[in-house]
Amino acid sequence: MENNNLIWKSSVQKAFYGLLAYTLLSGILYTIIDMVADQPLPIIISILALVGYIYYFLGVKGMKASAVGSVMEKGAASLYTGTLLALIGAVVDVVPLMGWIATIIKVIGFFIMMSGFNNLRKVATNPLAAKGAKQLWIMMILTIVALILGLIPVLGDIVVLLISIATAILTFLGWKNFSNSEL
């Protein structure tokens, strides 16, 4: 069990840093560079962001492996499956005219990940893991709310901005709580 706790902590930290790299590269840095640079640089940033997401996926895969036989096994497995589908969707999205299929795959992955966090928040015996899973589950709900409210002209943009700030904070805090938790 002690070995599983070490694997869990290491894997959660890997997922946390992979997601952080992905978020910073694909969101913030990509947007800034895309405004000022020619085409090759944003493509390089996109590739680096994908590497960050792969690192995140490997962390989630380790979480799944370390949770086998624990109460968190089902939630970690759902998180892994959803993350794998999102990664497959990102790869399929590169193929011309396959964007709609990629979007469907990513949406399915999103809801499976959401289910995994919901399960983890209910069954985690470690208070930090339960708190982190709850924060990440709420973040995913807020993401859905932001997508719906984003359809409202003008007002939707302001609300989405505020929700985006909240989801960024919840994502950081949720994974930070996970990284300080044990099985």
Side-chain angles (χ1 to χ4, degrees):
M1 185 65 173
E2 182 62 32
N3 190 35
N4 280 354
N5 275 328
L6 292 174
I7 294 169
W8 173 264
K9 285 185 83 64
S10 169
S11 298
V12 169
Q13 287 177 348
K14 185 182 289 185
F16 173 68
Y17 289 121
L19 186 64
L20 188 62
Y22 172 76
T23 303
L24 291 174
L25 289 168
S26 70
I28 299 167
L29 191 58
Y30 179 86
T31 303
I32 293 168
I33 289 177
D34 192 40
M35 288 189 289
V36 296
D38 289 332
Q39 196 59 330
L41 201 50
I43 292 171
I44 292 169
I45 297 298
S46 294
I47 292 168
L48 290 173
L50 184 59
V51 170
Y53 197 84
I54 291 169
Y55 196 68
Y56 168 72
F57 169 74
L58 293 173
V60 170
K61 182 178 178 185
M63 290 170 63
K64 176 186 171 243
S66 67
V68 170
S70 77
V71 294
M72 299 195 335
E73 180 176 8
K74 181 181 175 190
S78 292
L79 186 58
Y80 169 80
T81 302
T83 304
L84 178 61
L85 286 172
L87 186 57
I88 290 168
V91 172
V92 170
D93 206 10
V94 174
V95 179
L97 304 175
M98 295 295 284
W100 60 276
I101 293 174
T103 300
I104 292 169
I105 294 170
K106 289 180 200 177
V107 167
I108 292 169
F110 178 88
F111 283 106
I112 292 173
M113 278 191 273
M114 190 172 169
S115 166
F117 285 126
N118 187 37
N119 181 276
L120 288 170
R121 81 180 175 90
K122 291 178 180 178
V123 301
T125 55
N126 182 290
L128 282 175
K131 182 177 180 181
K134 182 177 181 179
Q135 289 166 322
L136 292 165
W137 181 70
I138 291 170
M139 175 272 303
M140 295 187 92
I141 290 171
L142 287 175
T143 300
I144 295 168
V145 170
L147 287 170
I148 293 167
L149 293 178
L151 300 173
I152 301 170
V154 184
L155 179 63
D157 292 341
I158 296 167
V159 173
V160 168
L161 173 64
L162 296 174
I163 291 174
S164 295
I165 293 168
T167 60
I169 292 168
L170 284 169
T171 301
F172 179 80
L173 292 175
W175 280 105
K176 195 65 182 160
N177 281 322
F178 258 130
S179 70
N180 291 323
S181 73
E182 295 180 0
L183 271 177

